[in-house]
Amino acid sequence: IVVVVISSFILLTSMAATIYILRNQHVNDTHNDLRRALYVVNDQLDSKKARMLADSRQLSRADGLATTMQIIVKFKNEINNMATTRGYRDVAQTIYQIATTSELDSLSLYDTDNELTAFSERKSMEQYRFGYVEGYPAPVFQTYQTKPGVQVEDLERQTLIAETSTFPLSLGNTLIETDLIYFEYQKGHINLVCQVPLITEWYNRQNQTLEKTRIGTVKATYRLDQELADKLKKITGFDVQIFGVEDLTSGTLQDYQVFDSEFFNIFNTTQNITGSALGKIVVSDNDYYQLARPFYNKEYIGAMAVLSSMDKINDSTAYLIYILSIIGAICLVLFLPVTLFFSRPLSRLIANLV
């Protein structure tokens, strides 16, 4: 009986140790998979930054833009001026085409006074608005509503007062000298924003030379929305949540609505991607491992997180216990008769020796 008890104890201890080691391995694998997923997320955002900068500079290659902008700036205090209407429309159409091709949520051009000249914005997946601004210092918006595939030439113009616009009329008093790219929280969404000083070449007839001239500033925005969250989930295989300052802006796990920024203070370690934090959270009574990165614009404005349900680990552990239990039971069934068979002769031999 003592031999049987000892054998059973050794078998159960070995099973428990195996389960503990393999469960920890599953946890470590999940952590590494989350790190790889966040790396993919950051790489997608970095690629978008590079493309936004390149697409913003693309506007400088538009034919005759420098001359057109000089005329626009000269007469921008007038409305429906015959000298500028065609130029305004051409610039606005160019911006619209670049914005739609580049999948930007908005693209706008500001003149050398940092005042809005033309713009394009995506109102929804199938609705765009573009146009231009004239009549400073009491500006009006000349706008066009359109959908993908509609000929721009067939659109009717609509005049709106400045108060109805979502675009800021000015970028401030200072002209930027270098490219800027940053995140901002605006109207319930996290946006990736870039500003680029727009430089082009024009022919100086007086000096008969090509000269570089400042046209203005381009501002582009890309919204981190539900479409992006769904795309990143398909790529990474994990739930992706995007949070603003207060609550969820977009995500694939609808029960997870509020992110606690203290998460970064509690779980931030040197093992994670710079600035990120990895830890365990509970969502609707379900356990998740979460790896999150913060967004800052001088101060904290939100976060993006990738999550893996612990159900996967728990299920694999339960399956492992089930398999090992079957193997252990089979081993005991086979081992006990052999143990009993050999234990009797050994017991007699020991008794005789004693």
Side-chain angles (χ1 to χ4, degrees):
I1 294 175
V2 173
V3 174
V4 173
V5 172
I6 293 174
S7 301
S8 300
F9 176 77
I10 293 173
L11 181 62
L12 291 174
T13 303
S14 300
M15 289 174 56
T18 302
I19 292 170
Y20 175 79
I21 292 170
L22 291 178
R23 180 179 175 81
N24 281 346
Q25 184 61 49
H26 284 314
V27 171
N28 290 333
D29 289 344
T30 299
H31 289 179
N32 290 330
D33 288 342
L34 285 172
R35 292 187 182 100
R36 282 190 287 269
L38 187 59
Y39 177 83
V40 171
V41 169
N42 287 338
D43 185 63
Q44 291 284 316
L45 293 177
D46 289 340
S47 296
K48 190 64 182 180
K49 290 177 183 178
R51 184 178 177 187
M52 287 176 69
L53 290 171
D55 292 339
S56 297
R57 297 189 189 102
Q58 181 182 339
L59 187 59
S60 65
R61 296 192 290 271
D63 291 339
L65 182 60
T67 302
T68 301
M69 286 299 295
Q70 286 178 349
I71 297 172
I72 285 174
V73 170
K74 183 177 181 180
F75 296 101
K76 69 178 182 179
N77 61 326
E78 299 181 15
I79 298 176
N80 294 325
N81 187 302
M82 293 184 61
T84 58
T85 298
R86 180 58 185 267
Y88 269 126
R89 185 182 173 102
D90 289 346
V91 172
Q93 287 183 11
T94 300
I95 289 176
Y96 165 69
Q97 291 165 357
I98 294 174
T100 53
T101 302
S102 306
E103 299 178 337
L104 296 172
D105 286 280
S106 71
L107 184 65
S108 50
L109 172 62
Y110 292 79
D111 61 25
T112 50
D113 296 323
N114 263 353
E115 292 182 326
L116 181 62
T117 298
F119 62 91
S120 173
E121 63 178 336
R122 184 174 68 168
K123 306 294 289 184
S124 66
M125 291 300 295
E126 295 295 325
Q127 189 72 40
Y128 290 84
R129 185 179 73 160
F130 71 94
Y132 55 91
V133 184
E134 59 183 357
Y136 286 96
V140 295
F141 282 71
Q142 308 291 6
T143 66
Y144 303 87
Q145 303 280 349
T146 186
K147 295 180 179 180
V150 176
Q151 293 293 325
V152 174
E153 291 76 11
D154 299 332
L155 299 176
E156 293 185 2
R157 192 182 72 178
Q158 182 181 10
T159 301
L160 302 174
I161 60 175
E163 285 75 7
T164 63
S165 171
T166 58
F167 281 93
L169 286 168
S170 174
L171 289 179
N173 297 324
T174 305
L175 286 173
I176 63 170
E177 299 297 332
T178 59
D179 299 341
L180 298 179
I181 192 152
Y182 54 91
F183 291 98
E184 70 174 6
Y185 179 69
Q186 188 177 40
K187 297 184 178 179
H189 290 280
I190 298 291
N191 294 326
L192 178 59
V193 182
C194 83
Q195 293 186 32
V196 176
L198 197 59
I199 309 295
T200 190
E201 291 184 340
W202 70 293
Y203 184 70
N204 187 323
R205 295 178 182 274
Q206 183 177 355
N207 299 330
Q208 296 185 347
T209 57
L210 279 175
E211 297 180 358
K212 290 186 177 181
T213 183
R214 175 76 176 258
I215 296 175
T217 304
V218 179
K219 181 180 179 181
T221 65
Y222 174 69
R223 181 177 296 168
L224 277 56
D225 57 9
Q226 188 62 45
E227 183 181 358
L228 176 64
D230 293 336
K231 175 184 175 182
L232 291 175
K233 181 176 181 178
K234 289 181 180 179
I235 295 174
T236 65
F238 294 104
D239 282 304
V240 176
Q241 302 292 98
I242 304 169
F243 297 93
V245 177
E246 299 176 350
D247 51 22
L248 181 71
T249 63
S250 304
T252 59
L253 189 62
Q254 292 304 311
D255 289 337
Y256 187 16
Q257 292 289 323
V258 179
F259 181 87
D260 185 359
S261 60
E262 280 299 307
F263 182 84
F264 293 110
N265 296 326
I266 297 171
F267 293 107
N268 195 6
T269 71
T270 56
Q271 294 178 337
N272 301 326
I273 299 172
T274 303
S276 66
L278 173 62
K280 188 167 70 173
I281 64 169
V282 178
V283 178
S284 299
D285 297 326
N286 295 314
D287 293 328
Y288 287 85
Y289 281 115
Q290 172 177 264
L291 181 59
R293 58 153 294 173
F295 295 122
Y296 290 98
N297 188 343
K298 297 182 180 178
E299 59 184 9
Y300 173 80
I301 61 169
M304 178 180 282
V306 288
L307 300 101
S308 176
S309 173
M310 287 188 63
D311 288 344
K312 297 177 182 178
I313 297 175
N314 294 334
D315 290 344
S316 63
T317 302
Y319 181 73
L320 181 62
I321 292 173
Y322 172 74
I323 294 298
L324 290 179
S325 298
I326 293 176
I327 295 173
I330 294 173
C331 290
L332 284 174
V333 169
L334 296 176
F335 183 71
L336 284 176
V338 175
T339 303
L340 292 173
F341 178 78
F342 285 104
S343 65
R344 290 172 182 173
L346 287 173
S347 298
R348 293 192 192 100
L349 178 61
I350 293 170
N352 292 331
L353 290 174
V354 174

